[in-house]
């Protein structure tokens, strides 16, 4: 398992980029959620990009962290985009049905599509 790291970069006035590297799973995913939420809720960013270019592994907990960021951004009126997913990370986002939704928080059609493509809940 590769270690996990996050590099925060300001990209212009109110735009922030979180560059993730390594394995985003388990404890790393748990650490990621508050980092994303802080960037949005603390007002660092009117626009937040979460860059997955250097992510080598993404599990369900990592996807949950990214989706939590999406929800917080929508609630706070911030733009939120998960960008540069590759390899296994891209396949995980596709398999969970959130890849289009996380690509742009301002695209409500992608949110509706993600909700409609969810498997039915068993009672």
């Amino acid at each position: 398992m590769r270690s996990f790291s996050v590099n925060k970069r300001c990209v212009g006035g109110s735009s922030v980029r979180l560059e993730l590297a390594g394995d985003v799973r388990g404890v790393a995913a748990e650490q990621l959620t508050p980092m994303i939420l802080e960037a949005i809720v603390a007002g660092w960013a009117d626009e937040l990009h979460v860059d997955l270019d250097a992510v080598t592994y993404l599990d369900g907990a990592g996807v949950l962290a990214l989706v939590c960021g999406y929800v917080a951004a929508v609630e706070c009126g911030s733009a939120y985009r998960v960008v540069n997913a590759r390899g296994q990370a891209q396949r995980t986002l596709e398999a969970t049905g959130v890849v289009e939704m996380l690509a742009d928080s301002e695209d409500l059609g992608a949110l509706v599509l993600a909700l409609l493509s969810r498997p039915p809940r068993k009672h």
Side-chain angles (χ1 to χ4, degrees):
M1 178 166 81
R2 279 189 56 198
S3 63
F4 170 72
S5 66
V6 178
N7 180 37
K8 183 184 93 176
R9 289 189 320 126
C10 293
V11 187
S14 60
S15 186
V16 171
R17 185 175 207 88
L18 295 179
E19 298 168 336
L20 309 176
D23 289 358
V24 183
R25 64 168 116 189
V27 174
E30 291 172 13
Q31 294 170 348
L32 177 60
T33 302
M35 288 179 204
I36 292 173
L37 295 179
E38 185 177 6
I40 295 166
V41 176
W44 294 349
D46 288 334
E47 182 173 7
L48 177 64
H49 291 185
V50 181
D51 190 337
L52 305 184
D53 186 49
V55 169
T56 53
Y57 188 86
L58 179 71
D59 73 357
V63 172
L64 180 59
L66 297 173
V67 170
C68 286
Y70 173 89
V71 171
V74 169
E75 288 179 357
C76 292
S78 297
Y80 179 82
R81 292 176 180 81
V82 176
V83 298
N84 298 326
R86 304 187 194 306
Q88 186 278 336
Q90 177 71 19
R91 290 189 298 277
T92 298
L93 293 175
E94 289 170 355
T96 56
V98 298
V99 68
E100 293 297 325
M101 179 184 82
L102 294 178
D104 187 355
S105 66
E106 296 172 329
D107 182 359
L108 293 180
L111 171 59
V112 171
L113 181 61
L115 291 173
L116 291 174
S117 65
R118 287 182 16 197
R121 293 176 65 182
K122 295 178 183 177
H123 300 284

